Amino acid sequence: MPQDTTADDESGNGTVALAFSGGLDTTVCVPILEEEYGYDDVIGVTVDVGQPAEEFAEAEETAEALGLEHYVVDAKEEFAALCMDGVRANATYQGYPLGTALARPVIASAILEVAEEHGCTGLAHGCTGKGNDQLRFEAVWRDSDMEVIAPIREMGLTREWEKEYAAERDLPVEGGNEGDWSIDTNLWSRSVEGKELEEPSYVPGEEIYEWTSAPSGETLELEIGFEDGYPVSLDGQATSPVDLVETLNETAGAYGVGRTDVMEDRMLGLKVRENYEHPAATVLLAAHEGLESLVLTKEERQFKTYVDQEWAEKGYEGLVNAPLVRALEGFIDETQERVTGTVTIRLEGGQARVVGRESPYAVYSAEAASFNTEDVMGGIEQNDATGVAKYHGFQERLANKVFDAAKARESAEAVTDGGTGDE
Ligand code: ARG
């Protein structure tokens, strides 16, 4: 059944590029794209955004067994760069640092590029009709003239049906994590869903975690250096985003940092229980926010929470190229010019806590804040605050007085009415 991909018979719809992982869904898609959708050839594309090596081995082996022309594209650097933009935006969605979400537009663009190079006429993914990923992929792909195909969704396929189909046709699906949770891993996070975790009250054991150990009593201090809001060094050593994230996942993961269990509101409205591990993201997000707290003014910090929230929302939707995101990044760029400095983080009890920060841009005067100096700044004295203290709360005191008086009047009237009796 696997077709000879060198065939030049133009009888069908040409070549389709399939987002290929070697799992059950994308494996059954290969014959289906030829037989049900009339494509002459299928090429499989796996994009490297930092998955574990076994996943590439699985994709490679399955592709070979299927006779599928298979390409692997390394997009780790591009993906890590986008994650660093997420750090500048303190980006989380309902507590999750967007690992799966931010990876999708990177993967989709890389596949589109391969498809263009090979003169493909179609683009296909193995996502179901229930999740977010179908929307994130297609948001990128529908910008091209190629046909977009989602066999699992369009044919309403279930895992059970796919297993039978694969068995009937002797498709190579024996490997993989059949029966296990559904797992999505990349540089920025590892997510686990399905099986008993679908019950929100079910308390998972240690077995669902792979990147993080149960927190012990041990602690470790790390120093993260930032330039323009980008993390650039670890303990004084300059490092690339990919290396930094990989190292921190290991280091902070060993201290049990970066576990979240969320009831996630998906784009289509479904609530899904998700468990995530993201040690590096937790450390970098905490450190970044810690540095912002030193160098940004109160108003900038407050307003930036709205900007960050919108950035994260678009990130979750897979729409990082939206004009809104560019506009938000205009604000972010302006503020991050001062987010340069060093933050000390302590890993302790499964938490990453800021325990020190310094920057040449600190909006901070130890002299002014100190209890031991009289002069605040440029001739302002303690006693100058007396007038401010007299005014502070003026409106609230007046409002409460007016309200109390009105209440007293009302109850006095009620007593008088009661006294004269009813009509
Ligand atoms: N729900 C998350 C999201 O849409 C991640 C899902 C990851 N997939 C998985 N099989 N665990 O961003």
Side-chain angles (χ1 to χ4, degrees):
M1 182 261 329
Q3 297 290 301
D4 179 356
T5 49
T6 58
D8 227 325
D9 56 326
E10 297 293 81
S11 52
N13 290 332
T15 304
V16 56
L18 167 69
F20 186 75
S21 69
L24 178 64
D25 292 321
T26 57
T27 298
V28 301
C29 280
V30 175
I32 286 176
L33 285 166
E34 290 170 347
E35 292 167 23
E36 304 296 327
Y37 288 88
Y39 277 90
D40 303 307
D41 295 311
V42 183
I43 60 173
V45 188
T46 306
V47 181
D48 184 353
V49 282
Q51 303 90 313
E54 313 90 76
E55 289 192 23
F56 296 102
E58 189 193 346
E60 207 73 66
E61 274 166 38
T62 311
E64 213 178 293
L66 283 167
L68 175 72
E69 194 175 321
H70 183 226
Y71 298 90
V72 177
V73 184
D74 184 351
K76 282 200 294 292
E77 273 181 32
E78 209 187 321
F79 176 50
L82 183 57
C83 296
M84 296 307 110
D85 289 339
V87 169
R88 284 169 34 120
N90 300 311
T92 58
Y93 175 82
Q94 299 184 340
Y96 135 69
L98 300 171
T100 300
L102 295 181
R104 293 307 178 261
V106 174
I107 294 171
S109 307
I111 293 172
L112 180 58
E113 234 170 82
V114 174
E116 278 166 353
E117 280 162 20
H118 288 77
C120 290
T121 45
L123 294 156
H125 63 69
C127 305
T128 71
K130 291 191 178 180
N132 294 321
D133 287 343
Q134 52 174 341
L135 307 179
R136 297 169 180 150
F137 275 120
E138 293 182 34
V140 175
W141 287 354
R142 289 189 186 277
D143 210 14
S144 82
D145 294 329
M146 291 179 224
E147 186 189 14
V148 174
I149 307 155
I152 310 295
R153 177 182 76 204
E154 288 160 11
M155 295 174 65
L157 306 186
T158 62
R159 300 280 294 179
E160 283 314 309
W161 186 92
E162 289 171 29
K163 278 182 205 167
E164 252 173 60
Y165 177 85
E168 257 167 43
R169 291 169 175 251
D170 216 15
L171 299 178
V173 291
E174 62 297 325
N177 42 20
E178 199 127 309
D180 272 332
W181 308 285
S182 168
I183 295 171
D184 183 70
T185 311
N186 60 45
L187 276 177
W188 207 227
S189 72
R190 174 176 177 272
S191 86
V192 190
E193 59 180 40
K195 276 201 358 186
E196 67 276 57
L197 294 171
E198 286 175 357
E199 179 51 62
S201 64
Y202 173 80
V203 180
E206 284 300 310
E207 67 278 3
I208 70 161
Y209 303 109
E210 212 162 86
W211 284 12
T212 54
S213 316
S216 68
E218 315 246 300
T219 70
L220 181 73
E221 276 174 23
L222 299 170
E223 225 181 69
I224 315 283
F226 286 86
E227 249 166 55
D228 295 341
Y230 291 112
V232 293
S233 69
L234 176 60
D235 294 332
Q237 291 282 97
T239 163
S240 72
V242 173
D243 288 342
L244 177 63
V245 172
E246 283 177 345
T247 307
L248 284 178
N249 276 335
E250 292 246 336
T251 312
Y255 287 79
V257 168
R259 292 180 172 182
T260 45
D261 179 339
V262 295
M263 288 309 302
E264 184 176 309
D265 292 296
R266 281 188 183 163
M267 281 184 258
L268 294 176
L270 290 173
K271 272 191 194 294
V272 177
R273 197 258 187 102
E274 294 274 10
N275 278 269
Y276 295 102
E277 295 180 280
H278 38 74
T282 297
V283 170
L284 294 175
L285 288 166
H288 178 265
E289 221 173 344
L291 190 54
E292 280 192 337
S293 73
L294 179 67
V295 302
L296 299 185
T297 60
K298 174 183 168 181
E299 290 80 5
E300 286 176 303
R301 288 173 70 188
Q302 272 175 352
F303 189 75
K304 191 164 180 292
T305 61
Y306 300 114
V307 172
D308 291 349
Q309 169 78 33
E310 290 299 318
W311 195 101
E313 200 76 42
K314 293 326 257 182
Y316 186 72
E317 293 170 3
L319 300 177
V320 288
N321 293 316
L324 175 64
V325 174
R326 283 199 295 279
L328 298 171
E329 281 179 350
F331 177 85
I332 293 175
D333 282 342
E334 183 69 31
T335 56
Q336 300 304 293
E337 265 178 47
R338 284 161 283 148
V339 186
T340 293
T342 312
V343 179
T344 309
I345 290 279
R346 184 179 294 150
L347 310 178
E348 185 172 37
Q351 306 290 319
R353 206 156 56 81
V354 175
V355 292
R357 68 294 269 162
E358 65 174 351
S359 168
Y361 301 100
V363 186
Y364 181 76
S365 157
E367 220 189 324
S370 168
F371 297 112
N372 294 322
T373 45
E374 175 56 25
D375 189 7
V376 174
M377 201 170 42
I380 307 174
E381 288 164 11
Q382 252 199 85
N383 194 32
D384 290 330
T386 305
V388 180
K390 283 182 181 170
Y391 265 107
H392 187 62
F394 167 77
Q395 198 172 87
E396 289 76 8
R397 288 193 294 272
L398 180 58
N400 286 336
K401 207 176 282 172
V402 170
F403 184 73
D404 289 347
K407 279 277 162 213
R409 239 184 351 261
E410 257 173 50
S411 53
E413 274 165 22
V415 171
T416 333
D417 284 354
T420 52
D422 285 14
E423 314 275 281

